[in-house]
Amino acid sequence: MARHTFATTVTLSNGVPIETVSKMLGHTKLATTQIYARVLDKKISEDMLALQKKLKTKLKL
């Protein structure tokens, strides 16, 4: 349970890339990390808002 919490809540939810999480957990394959790390709806929403802001900024230039 600790690996799931660390991968999802502590790292991914705070913007750490999954490749970095994979190395932190000592995995050689990204697929192994994906077993432990889940992308939460909240994270998807935050990422979409950030993307929207970036695109709006680029369009204004």
Side-chain angles (χ1 to χ4, degrees):
M1 188 159 71
R3 283 179 169 256
H4 292 278
T5 301
F6 177 77
T8 301
T9 308
V10 176
T11 58
L12 288 181
S13 293
N14 286 299
V16 178
I18 194 162
E19 296 84 1
T20 304
V21 176
S22 184
K23 294 293 181 185
M24 289 175 171
L25 293 174
H27 299 153
T28 54
K29 296 180 183 178
L30 196 57
T32 305
T33 306
Q34 291 172 329
I35 294 168
Y36 294 101
R38 298 285 176 227
V39 178
L40 303 176
D41 289 341
K42 179 181 176 190
K43 179 65 174 149
I44 294 170
S45 178
E46 290 170 356
D47 289 346
M48 288 302 294
L49 287 173
L51 176 60
Q52 185 178 26
K53 287 179 184 179
K54 284 182 182 180
L55 292 174
K56 282 184 179 180
T57 301
K58 284 188 177 188
L59 291 175
K60 289 180 182 179
L61 296 175

